[in-house]
Amino acid sequence: MPKTITEQNLRLLIDSLIKEGTRVIGPRRTGTITLYEPLARGEELDLNELPRRSAKEVFFPVCENILSFQRGEEGVKVTDIDPCAFPETVLIGARPCDAAAAPVLDSVFSWDYKDEFFLQRRRKTTVIGLACTTADDACFCSAVGLSPADSKGADLFLTPVREGGYLCEALTDKGKTLITSHARLFAETSAAAPLSLNEPAGVKLDLHKIKGWLDENFESPIWKEIADRCAGCGSCAFLCPACHCFDIVDEGTEAEGHRRKFWDACGFGKFTDHASGHNPRDAQPKRYRNRIMHKFKYYDDKFGQTLCTGCGRCIRWCPVGIDIKAVLEEIQKG
Amino acid sequence: MTDMTTIPAMATITEVHPLSGDTSFFRLGLKEGEAQGFTFTPGQFVQLSVPAAGEFPISLAGSPGHGRELELCVRKAGHVTAVLHNLRPGDPVAVRGPFGTGFPVERMRGNDVILLAGGLGIAPLRSLFHYFLEHREEYGAITLMYGAREPSAILFRDELAELACRRDIRLMLTVDFLTEEPAGGPVCRVGLLPGLLMGIKLRLDQTYAAVCGPPALYRCLITELLGLDFPENRIFLSLERRMKCGIGLCCHCAVGDFFCCTDGPVFSYDRIKEIPGVI
């Protein structure tokens, strides 16, 4: 029998998890901006709109210490950070475009070196996905093979129902455990009517055809046409649920300091710049081309996946109005 | 023991001496107990941490057979290398690595080898060259062709002068410009490095080429080698990219769907020739 949970019980679930010592992260509205943030109480949960930034930072923080060093009498001592100490976390209210990005990123963070900073957070996080009822003009999840009802990447998936509350589908053991350990908050139902989810408008993209074009068109006038106005600000990469470039920087003095990992963006002019002066991507069109190639060709070549979930954030917030969906539609035309 | 993949092992600088105006030789000793059994393949690189400055990727320039002792050849080019150049013997640094795929020394065994180095590209090829010398009887004819901008920019001059006396190897040096009369040192020609290949007799089916230098050099050297009918899968080159993590995650060194830090930096030419913009 399918399970349901009421709006009120969903908030009680959050309170209960917090009480048990679990970190709960979900959409929270501060002023006019909704972000995925740690919740202090269930009532802080605000599922009305797609959060401004993606949920990627739950697994891959904007910035984190990866080791620290102190210089003492016996030389320099390096202290490791133990990823096993990361807290048990529930990510609640992740939209399909955000939940689906995590399994895509698993590929790169485990293809050769197993990055425990990412993988431990993945293991320790239960994702409660949410079917999306708020597609806007920039959304294009259904154009890249997902949909507002896609539960990929979720352990438990909520679909809003007409009577209020949510239909709950447990997709993994983590999701099942969450339900059984809070069974009193869930009800069984035989007749819950899911709210209709509005599919994002726009052309369905043929990712295979797009990749075929990218295979042949490393050199094309299109890159200059699009990217001449790109300011190289990196907003697209920082808002993207799937971009995963990072930089490593040492901060501190000779006496002590930290090594930190920061998000980076291949759109930045210095991204591939060598101290020698050699820069393989020395102009913005080359950098924009890399962004598209990485998402729709290289990642596919290497891992058989597309590094884009169609969340549309890069379209919504690009300061010069570059629209990746329009670029892909143009490419699709050949 | 330190897992030198993400956590650097401590090392001490044991020797520093200048090789040219902006490039110096550094010998490091990895701290005992931290880097037991450290070894590498010529062509691999390490990430060198300089306290309070940061990390930079650098080729290992010495023979892999020296255990905890590492040799590096570092040009003062950016912030971190500039700080390193101010350090002296006894100062601490730290090392992650070795990273990447080096030259296929096993596959090259029993064959002739020709090493083509341009400028600072001599660093990883010096490692390979020393490896061959230490296993001299396992390889056929060994040729090192090395080109520098001008005589004062030739690195490892004293070492090369000594090697020039050996009869079991062939050493050919050239400089782009002869701006001054070289004061001693090995004999060298004037002209670009690819010019040294002209008139050279190679046993094409029994020779491997190892190339390292600036990107512009690759374009003309590859053309020259292919013009000699050199097989594409016997040309190995080391790509210069800005490696940061060293473990195939951060994307700074991505070339097509390869990561230079893990798939490379040494690639056979046939593996990368289809990737646009690669050299």
Side-chain angles (χ1 to χ4, degrees):
Chain A
M1 194 86 84
K3 301 269 184 196
T4 57
I5 189 165
T6 62
E7 190 73 48
Q8 195 190 359
N9 279 1
L10 188 67
R11 285 155 207 278
L12 289 175
L13 173 68
I14 296 171
D15 287 333
S16 170
L17 287 164
I18 294 171
K19 214 166 151 192
E20 291 159 20
T22 304
R23 184 176 69 143
V24 181
I25 293 177
R28 194 173 75 130
R29 194 176 177 87
T30 311
T32 57
I33 300 176
T34 303
L35 293 170
Y36 289 104
E37 287 186 321
L39 304 175
R41 291 179 305 282
E43 65 193 45
E44 289 182 344
L45 183 75
D46 185 334
L47 297 174
N48 289 316
E49 62 180 57
L50 178 73
R52 177 77 60 95
R53 295 210 304 255
S54 82
K56 165 175 77 177
E57 51 200 288
V58 174
F59 311 109
F60 176 35
V62 184
C63 164
E64 66 179 319
N65 288 349
I66 54 174
L67 59 84
S68 60
F69 51 91
Q70 295 84 30
R71 194 167 187 169
E73 282 178 6
E74 285 165 28
V76 181
K77 187 170 171 284
V78 174
T79 314
D80 196 355
I81 306 271
D82 181 11
C84 294
F86 292 150
E88 290 290 338
T89 300
V90 168
L91 166 63
I92 187 165
R95 305 280 173 138
C97 53
D98 284 330
V104 174
L105 288 177
D106 284 344
S107 302
V108 67
F109 283 109
S110 61
W111 76 277
D112 183 35
Y113 179 74
K114 310 286 175 247
D115 183 52
E116 288 300 319
F117 283 85
F118 182 87
L119 298 175
Q120 279 292 352
R121 286 192 178 96
R122 285 277 288 141
R123 277 179 216 120
K124 293 197 157 192
T125 302
T126 303
V127 178
I128 304 180
L130 172 70
C132 189
T133 54
T134 57
D136 69 10
D137 290 348
C139 288
F140 64 106
C141 63
S142 40
V144 291
L146 290 168
S147 81
D150 202 307
S151 58
K152 190 171 148 199
D155 297 297
L156 185 64
F157 193 67
L158 306 178
T159 307
V161 290
R162 241 176 248 149
E163 301 77 18
Y166 306 87
L167 202 61
C168 311
E169 189 188 353
L171 298 147
T172 66
D173 289 343
K174 276 190 206 168
K176 284 174 195 152
T177 308
L178 193 76
I179 291 184
T180 47
S181 57
H182 300 85
R184 64 190 168 82
L185 296 173
F186 295 86
E188 288 194 353
T189 180
S190 52
L195 274 186
S196 60
L197 309 170
N198 55 332
E199 289 274 336
V203 180
K204 194 134 192 123
L205 296 170
D206 180 346
L207 296 175
H208 186 72
K209 192 171 172 197
I210 289 171
K211 187 182 171 300
W213 187 91
L214 293 173
D215 285 340
E216 303 297 323
N217 286 279
F218 188 82
E219 301 295 347
S220 162
I222 190 177
W223 305 121
K224 192 163 157 47
E225 279 163 33
I226 305 161
D228 256 356
R229 64 195 162 116
C230 174
C233 71
S235 298
C236 48
F238 280 53
L239 294 168
C240 179
C243 275
H244 62 84
C245 302
F246 60 86
D247 197 7
I248 299 171
V249 175
D250 285 5
E251 289 181 350
T253 63
E254 273 190 50
E256 60 177 341
H258 302 284
R259 175 159 295 166
R260 315 187 84 181
K261 189 163 117 183
F262 288 89
W263 286 358
D264 205 342
C266 63
F268 291 153
K270 295 252 174 220
F271 188 78
T272 51
D273 196 20
H274 301 182
S276 68
H278 170 224
N279 190 348
R281 293 183 217 132
D282 55 3
Q284 206 57 34
K286 294 184 185 173
R287 301 193 271 272
Y288 189 80
R289 172 177 64 196
N290 183 71
R291 178 173 172 74
I292 299 291
M293 288 278 181
H294 187 198
K295 290 188 174 298
F296 299 96
K297 171 175 157 53
Y298 304 149
Y299 209 80
D300 191 334
D301 283 336
K302 201 168 182 83
F303 304 122
Q305 287 165 304
T306 299
L307 202 57
C308 171
T309 59
C311 72
R313 290 183 177 91
C314 58
I315 301 172
R316 246 169 252 124
W317 302 106
C318 176
V320 296
I322 294 178
D323 181 338
I324 196 171
K325 183 173 51 166
V327 171
L328 294 169
E329 283 170 9
E330 199 59 37
I331 286 175
Q332 181 161 269
K333 281 184 211 154
Chain B
M1 273 292 279
T2 304
D3 160 31
M4 292 173 66
T5 311
T6 53
I7 307 300
M10 299 311 301
T12 305
I13 296 176
T14 55
E15 184 188 335
V16 184
H17 65 255
L19 293 170
S20 76
D22 57 5
T23 304
S24 289
F25 172 85
F26 293 84
R27 195 189 304 277
L28 316 177
L30 285 163
K31 198 170 157 186
E32 209 169 337
E34 282 206 31
Q36 225 72 52
F38 182 90
T39 186
F40 62 94
T41 309
Q44 285 193 297
F45 69 99
V46 292
Q47 288 282 1
L48 186 69
S49 297
V50 180
E55 257 190 339
F56 67 95
I58 190 81
S59 294
L60 290 154
S63 162
H66 295 178
R68 288 184 288 107
E69 189 172 85
L70 308 184
E71 295 177 351
L72 309 173
C73 170
V74 185
R75 176 178 289 167
K76 195 196 288 185
H79 169 66
V80 186
T81 50
V83 176
L84 176 73
H85 275 248
N86 289 332
L87 300 185
R88 291 291 159 256
D91 286 335
V93 288
V95 176
R96 283 199 295 133
F99 294 121
T101 307
F103 291 101
V105 290
E106 298 296 331
R107 213 172 119 188
M108 292 171 164
R109 182 168 293 148
N111 286 266
D112 294 347
V113 285
I114 175 163
L115 285 62
L116 295 143
L120 203 50
I122 189 70
L125 291 186
R126 177 179 179 266
S127 172
L128 184 63
F129 194 63
H130 278 272
Y131 176 89
F132 288 147
L133 294 183
E134 285 171 14
H135 301 82
R136 183 65 196 90
E137 68 289 352
E138 296 168 27
Y139 294 88
I142 298 175
T143 307
L144 172 63
M145 295 182 174
Y146 172 32
R149 204 172 50 249
E150 56 202 12
S152 63
I154 296 176
L155 307 172
F156 301 104
R157 254 174 310 214
D158 298 343
E159 193 175 304
L160 291 170
E162 263 178 53
L163 288 169
C165 306
R166 282 180 72 146
R167 294 191 148 190
D168 60 345
I169 54 167
R170 183 160 54 169
L171 187 63
M172 297 170 79
L173 306 180
T174 185
V175 290
D176 298 351
F177 311 105
L178 192 59
T179 46
E180 77 253 56
E181 279 301 314
V187 177
C188 63
R189 308 181 188 193
V190 180
L192 299 175
L193 181 60
L196 292 183
L197 285 168
M198 257 180 257
I200 286 285
K201 284 211 165 46
L202 297 167
R203 300 190 294 171
L204 290 174
D205 55 337
Q206 296 173 49
T207 306
Y208 280 96
V211 189
C212 191
L217 178 76
Y218 287 144
R219 288 188 281 271
C220 43
L221 261 182
I222 298 288
T223 311
E224 197 69 38
L225 285 169
L226 297 180
L228 297 171
D229 287 330
F230 210 101
E232 288 175 346
N233 63 355
R234 287 176 163 262
I235 303 173
F236 285 83
L237 35 95
S238 177
L239 293 185
E240 185 192 30
R241 288 296 185 277
R242 188 186 183 193
M243 292 84 160
K244 289 291 270 197
C245 72
I247 48 182
L249 303 177
C250 81
C251 278
H252 281 83
C253 67
V255 175
D257 62 337
F258 288 130
F259 289 110
C260 271
C261 68
T262 34
D263 299 304
V266 176
F267 293 94
S268 63
Y269 180 64
D270 63 325
R271 239 181 123 204
I272 53 165
K273 64 171 182 172
E274 303 291 347
I275 303 174
V278 69
I279 46 176

